[in-house]
């Protein structure tokens, strides 16, 4: 593309130990896509770029190889079709042609995301409660995946250590182990909290501001904005959301972490031990007074950020005498075990895997169940 600024050189700051040795930078960022993030780019990522903001990223998003990698991931994940009713199988049948058209529309600036198909699905472990799921088209999922491949390392570099949700190399189990470890070292006063309808209420303008703090490529910023402003179709209704990022969209987990990252760092600066997994988090303190002060700090931050704590929470818990649940596990007076929701989710999954109509061999069923059970316990 013409008229685009050249990428800035990284600022002259000392390299991390061994950063200049070939292969060592790549090893530290092994989860990144090598077709997108070259050794030179990873070195610039570690050392920092001039002004702390990245230019000329759109060319990497629209590159044919990036789209091929993104499409492979989308096709491997499967999933339902979007509003156009085009399935992953149909896209795969004419993949080369489809990617050619997609690259052309991105390069010419004519690409526009289609509506998101929205459906209500049962909340895990809650039979009578529903949550909205947004289903983009396979085409849009491919572009969002390409965008995430390019953007994620830029923000991941500076995310707080105590954030675990939707991050490479981190899991629910890691978050639970951290909570357990803090309890054992005396951080037994717990603020049990989560955010009300977080994914639906993130203010678009403030979220884009936070993306702009590290990205100066106007084309990439417009693409992010287009995804935030996608029309939603549910049954016969359609509308353009003024806030939020759809659950089910590939780019949403990254955007959700970008928006909450300042909260992570504010808690760290205040000396509060926080463990966060997406919009679900606990704060752990040594005294009731510290926990009460931490809760007020969170209340203030969320109000200023245009968010709200869930009305059923938060609450202060003395974990030496009481209990709380986090990520489906119950912590009770030094013990932990799966809570009712996690138990119900496991039962549902076991029923699905052991249906007689599945047609799998007993050996295959046992292998699948062992994998399921291994990931269930902390």
């Amino acid at each position: 593309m013409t008229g685009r600024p050249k990428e800035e050189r990284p600022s002259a700051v000392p390299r991390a130990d061994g950063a200049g040795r070939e292969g060592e930078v790549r090893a530290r960022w092994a989860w990144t896509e090598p077709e997108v993030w070259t050794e030179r780019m990873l070195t610039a990522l570690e050392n920092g770029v001039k002004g702390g903001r990245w230019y000329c990223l759109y060319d990497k998003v629209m590159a044919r190889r990036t789209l091929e990698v993104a499409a492979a991931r989308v096709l491997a994940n499967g999933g339902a079709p979007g509003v156009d009713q085009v399935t992953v199988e149909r896209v795969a049948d004419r993949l080369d042609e489809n990617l050619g058209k997609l690259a052309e529309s991105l390069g010419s600036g004519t690409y526009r995301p289609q509506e998101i198909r929205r459906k209500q699905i049962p909340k895990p472990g809650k039979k009578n409660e529903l949550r909205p799921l947004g289903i983009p088209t396979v085409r849009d999922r491919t572009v969002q995946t390409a965008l995430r491949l390019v953007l994620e390392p830029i923000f991941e570099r500076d995310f707080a250590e105590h954030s675990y949700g939707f991050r490479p190399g981190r899991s629910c189990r890691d978050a639970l182990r951290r909570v357990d470890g803090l309890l054992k070292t005396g951080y037994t006063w717990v603020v049990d909290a989560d955010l009300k309808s977080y994914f639906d209420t993130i203010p678009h303008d403030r979220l884009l501001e936070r993306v702009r703090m590290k990205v100066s490529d106007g084309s990439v910023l417009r693409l992010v904005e287009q995804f935030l402003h996608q029309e939603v179709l549910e049954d016969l209704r359609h509308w353009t959301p003024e806030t939020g990022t759809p659950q089910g969209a590939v780019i949403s987990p990254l955007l959700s972490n970008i928006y909450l990252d300042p909260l992570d760092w504010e808690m760290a600066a205040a000396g509060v031990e926080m463990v966060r997994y997406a919009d679900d988090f606990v704060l752990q303190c040594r005294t009731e007074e510290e926990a009460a002060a931490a809760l007020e700090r969170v209340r203030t931050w969320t109000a200023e950020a245009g968010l709200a704590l869930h009305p059923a929470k938060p609450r202060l818990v003395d974990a030496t005498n009481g209990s709380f649940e986090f990520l489906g596990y119950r912590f009770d007076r030094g013990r932990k075990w799966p809570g009712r929701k996690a138990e119900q989710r496991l039962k549902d999954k076991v029923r699905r895997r052991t249906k007689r109509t599945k047609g799998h061999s007993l050996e295959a069923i046992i292998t699948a169940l062992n994998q399921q059970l291994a990931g269930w316990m902390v």
Side-chain angles (χ1 to χ4, degrees), residues 58-77:
Y58 190 72
D59 292 341
K60 297 170 181 61
V61 174
M62 59 173 274
R64 178 60 181 259
R65 184 55 186 150
T66 305
L67 294 176
E68 288 173 353
V69 172
R73 294 192 180 190
V74 171
L75 297 179
N77 286 336

Side-chain angles (χ1 to χ4, degrees), residues 118 200 204 227-232 239-244 246:
R118 183 169 173 169
D200 290 333
H204 288 168
F227 285 129
L228 290 177
H229 293 159
Q230 276 180 277
E231 284 200 355
V232 176
W239 70 94
T240 302
E242 296 180 0
T243 59

Side-chain angles (χ1 to χ4, degrees), residues 354-366:
T354 55
K355 279 184 179 179
R356 293 184 180 182
T357 55
K358 278 281 187 180
H360 297 314
S361 68
L362 181 60
E363 183 180 0
I365 292 173
I366 291 172

Side-chain angles (χ1 to χ4, degrees), residues 128-259:
N128 299 322
E129 290 189 40
L130 300 174
R131 69 177 177 89
L133 177 68
I135 306 173
T137 63
V138 178
R139 167 179 170 269
D140 291 340
R141 298 205 294 265
T142 300
V143 177
Q144 288 191 17
T145 302
L147 185 61
R148 182 169 181 169
L149 288 172
V150 173
L151 290 182
E152 189 168 34
I154 294 171
F155 292 93
E156 180 65 30
R157 174 184 183 268
D158 298 316
F159 277 160
E161 186 66 23
H162 56 255
S163 165
Y164 292 90
F166 309 120
R167 294 184 59 191
R170 290 164 174 259
S171 69
C172 175
R173 278 207 257 179
D174 295 325
L176 291 166
R177 288 191 184 110
R178 176 64 175 157
V179 171
D180 195 38
L182 287 168
L183 290 173
K184 290 174 179 175
T185 53
Y187 291 87
T188 55
W189 274 95
V190 178
V191 179
D192 182 16
D194 60 22
L195 295 164
K196 180 183 177 183
S197 303
Y198 172 60
F199 282 86
D200 290 333
T201 58
I202 303 173
H204 288 168
D205 55 344
R206 299 186 198 182
L207 172 58
L208 286 167
E209 264 180 46
R210 288 178 185 166
V211 177
R212 288 190 192 101
M213 291 175 70
K214 296 193 176 187
V215 176
S216 292
D217 188 315
S219 296
V220 167
L221 293 169
R222 279 191 294 275
L223 194 56
V224 173
E225 191 168 10
Q226 284 179 339
F227 285 129
L228 290 177
H229 293 159
Q230 276 180 277
E231 284 200 355
V232 176
L233 177 66
E234 183 174 7
D235 298 326
L236 297 178
R237 297 187 305 124
H238 66 90
W239 70 94
T240 302
E242 296 180 0
T243 59
T245 180
Q247 294 189 60
V250 177
I251 199 68
S252 290
L254 175 61
L255 295 178
S256 71
N257 274 332
I258 290 172
Y259 197 67

